[in-house]
């Protein structure tokens, strides 16, 4: 897709023409990945984080937050529950918690792989290449690391580097590919300071990185964060709105640019529209849902943004809810692990030399 077409769609506000975009994305989804919706059980294993991201409620300095880290036994129980519900994958997610050591994680991955048939996806933030290699060897199949925005200056502003260590998520995505992971990334939509040009760049990067999984969701201001507190202050005509409609546009364009990728209808989208956000996402490009299987007692402590969908519902409730929603729109439940059709082991990837090195 040409750059100017991407920009034109992002700026389109005619509902008739947007209907055509939704149809194009839905047709591409059906043709390339079919009607099956793959389910991934999400376990939020720890809310400790060493980072100070200005958008996220888990930032290190948030003294209001009670921190938790699940035990290996608790994580195993969640994985077993996910398998029982017929989910093909468990997604192990946490803040950037250095209390999660390489060996601890190797043990957890090994136990899940021995005791369940699940694919294991990790989403544990920016970790060293050695750790990523060990976890891959222990049996982890996939890794999710959103680059959040390809605008290096904006990324550094909302995600300050650690002292003595420049963040470079594009380099990590390349390492993940070399290590043989199925690679997932994505962005937030409507970050204060994010322009239409930035977002078009992000979409072009999805294609160039040849991603196997792509998660996109609206930026949702968290009042306890600096970015959340100032959101909406200096909106310029170039500012991307963090709306539901903009999210659908990005979702649909993502499907058109990366037709064979696995693309979730995200919880952030469901949060903007509890009644039918998930379904509309599935009808406009998405083919994956990640129902939460975290024990209810921990859910409200994993508050990356406020009023997150499914905070009070049990894993069992969400399982039934999601199945009903998939059925109601005439789609089918995925069987098996739902590996990305885009995945080619040891494919070579490209990326910019850095996503934070250009900051002056
Ligand atoms: N609004 C929307 N998404 C957020 N994330 C973190 N904080 C927010 C927020 N305030 C997303 C980031 C991260 C993913 C786990 O959650 O994109 O990569
Ligand atoms: Fe959790 Fe519907 S998916 S309540």
């Amino acid at each position: 897709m040409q750059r100017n077409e991407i920009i034109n769609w992002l700026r389109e506000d005619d509902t008739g023409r947007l209907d055509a975009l939704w149809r194009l994305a839905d047709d591409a989804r059906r043709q390339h990945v079919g009607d099956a919706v793959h389910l991934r059980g999400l376990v939020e294993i720890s809310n400790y984080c060493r980072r100070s991201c200005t958008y996220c409620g888990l930032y290190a300095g948030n003294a209001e937050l009670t921190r938790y880290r699940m035990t290996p036994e608790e994580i195993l129980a969640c994985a077993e529950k996910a398998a029982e519900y017929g989910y093909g994958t468990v997604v192990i997610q946490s803040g950037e918690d250095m209390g999660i050591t390489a060996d601890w994680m190797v043990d957890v991955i090994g136990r899940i792989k021995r005791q369940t048939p699940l694919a294991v996806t990790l989403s544990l933030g920016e970790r060293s290449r050695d750790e990523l290699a060990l976890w891959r060897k222990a049996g982890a199949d996939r890794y999710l690391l959103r680059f959040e925005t390809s605008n290096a200056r904006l990324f550094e502003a909302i995600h300050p580097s650690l002292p003595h260590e420049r963040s470079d998520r594009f380099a990590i995505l390349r390492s993940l590919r070399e290590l043989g992971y199925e690679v997932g990334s994505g962005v937030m939509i409507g970050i204060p300071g994010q322009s239409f040009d930035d977002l078009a760049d992000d979409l072009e990067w999805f294609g160039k990185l040849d991603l196997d999984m792509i998660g996109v969701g609206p930026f949702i201001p968290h009042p306890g964060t600096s970015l959340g507190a100032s959101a909406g202050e200096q909106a310029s005509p170039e500012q991307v709105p963090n709306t539901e409609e903009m999210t659908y546009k990005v979702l649909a364009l993502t499907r058109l640019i990366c037709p064979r990728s696995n693309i979730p209808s995200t919880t952030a989208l469901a949060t903007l529209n509890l009644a039918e956000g998930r379904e509309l996402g599935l009808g406009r490009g998405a083919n994956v849902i990640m129902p939460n299987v975290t024990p209810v007692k921990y859910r409200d402590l994993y508050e990356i943004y406020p009023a997150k969908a499914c905070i009070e519902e049990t894993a069992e409730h969400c399982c039934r809810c999601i199945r009903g929603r998939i059925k109601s729109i005439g789609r089918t439940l995925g069987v098996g692990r739902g590996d990305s059709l885009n995945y080619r082991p040891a494919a070579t990837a490209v990326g910019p030399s850095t996503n934070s090195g250009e900051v002056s």
Side-chain angles (χ1 to χ4, degrees):
M1 183 178 293
Q2 298 291 317
R3 169 97 186 173
N4 66 326
E5 283 180 82
I6 297 178
I7 294 275
N8 288 344
W9 279 124
L10 292 175
R11 291 192 180 274
E12 182 60 69
D13 55 13
D14 178 273
T15 49
R17 281 197 289 270
L18 283 174
D19 279 341
L21 176 62
W22 314 147
R23 262 197 309 279
L24 282 172
D26 199 38
D27 288 347
R29 187 270 309 154
R30 188 177 313 108
Q31 185 190 335
H32 293 278
V33 295
D35 279 335
V37 178
H38 300 290
L39 301 179
R40 323 301 199 190
L42 175 66
V43 196
E44 296 154 334
I45 66 167
S46 160
N47 69 353
Y48 284 91
C49 193
R50 63 169 166 170
R51 295 269 163 191
S52 302
C53 301
T54 62
Y55 51 90
C56 178
L58 306 190
Y59 70 96
N62 187 353
E64 306 289 295
L65 193 62
T66 304
R67 305 282 171 168
Y68 73 91
R69 183 180 305 122
M70 289 170 61
T71 64
E73 289 70 32
E74 285 176 311
I75 299 169
L76 242 301
C78 291
E80 279 167 353
K81 202 179 261 185
E84 225 174 84
Y85 293 152
Y87 303 163
T89 300
V90 65
V91 179
I92 305 287
Q93 188 171 80
S94 73
E96 219 165 278
D97 175 8
M98 301 323 275
I100 295 177
T101 62
D103 291 346
W104 186 90
M105 202 61 225
V106 164
D107 172 61
V108 171
I109 295 165
R111 287 211 229 171
I112 298 174
K113 296 302 287 190
R114 283 190 299 273
Q115 294 179 32
T116 76
L118 298 171
V120 171
T121 302
L122 303 180
S123 178
L124 306 172
E126 296 171 38
R127 304 291 304 230
S128 73
R129 189 178 166 114
D130 288 349
E131 290 170 317
L132 299 173
L134 278 173
W135 297 339
R136 173 78 186 127
K137 221 172 122 212
D141 301 279
R142 312 179 187 140
Y143 205 98
L144 301 175
L145 182 69
R146 291 186 179 182
F147 60 81
E148 315 294 359
T149 169
S150 58
N151 176 329
R153 196 178 293 271
L154 181 59
F155 182 72
E156 179 65 25
I158 64 171
H159 172 282
S161 284
L162 296 169
H164 318 300
E165 206 182 313
R166 277 238 161 272
S167 270
D168 188 347
R169 292 196 171 185
F170 285 95
I172 298 174
L173 292 171
R174 272 196 302 275
S175 290
L176 290 166
R177 177 77 76 203
E178 287 161 11
L179 292 168
Y181 282 95
E182 239 185 73
V183 180
S185 192
V187 299
M188 288 183 289
I189 298 156
I191 305 165
Q194 184 184 45
S195 69
F196 283 90
D197 264 323
D198 292 336
L199 194 51
D201 287 344
D202 296 346
L203 282 157
E204 290 187 326
W205 274 117
F206 292 166
K208 285 185 273 195
L209 292 166
D210 192 27
L211 295 170
D212 305 310
M213 306 171 283
I214 306 170
V216 298
F219 163 69
I220 300 176
H222 186 308
T225 62
S226 57
L227 199 65
S230 68
E233 264 174 20
Q234 338 131 310
S236 82
E238 288 308 309
Q239 170 67 48
V240 172
N242 60 338
T243 56
E244 191 184 345
E245 183 171 271
M246 186 58 67
T247 304
Y248 297 132
K249 289 183 193 176
V250 177
L251 202 52
L253 292 169
T254 300
R255 170 60 66 199
L256 294 174
I257 293 167
C258 302
R260 287 161 66 80
S261 295
N262 279 336
I263 302 176
S265 184
T266 56
T267 305
L269 180 55
T271 299
L272 291 196
N273 180 349
L274 279 174
E276 51 175 7
R278 285 192 200 274
E279 291 88 330
L280 287 171
L282 288 175
R284 296 171 177 181
N287 70 322
V288 166
I289 289 194
M290 298 165 65
N292 204 323
V293 293
T294 309
V296 171
K297 67 174 171 178
Y298 297 128
R299 284 199 192 192
D300 62 338
L301 299 177
Y302 205 84
E303 197 189 40
I304 50 187
Y305 49 79
K308 209 169 132 202
C310 306
I311 275 288
E312 285 169 5
E313 285 75 8
T314 63
E316 194 187 352
H317 181 98
C318 291
C319 176
R320 251 182 287 120
C321 170
I322 292 288
R323 284 168 184 270
R325 287 172 189 261
I326 291 169
K327 226 175 177 179
S328 77
I329 55 169
R331 297 277 281 277
T332 57
L333 284 174
V335 283
R337 299 174 13 139
D339 291 315
S340 175
L341 298 177
N342 192 64
Y343 176 66
R344 293 185 307 270
T348 42
V350 290
S353 55
T354 172
N355 77 345
S356 62
E358 301 302 319
V359 180
S360 51

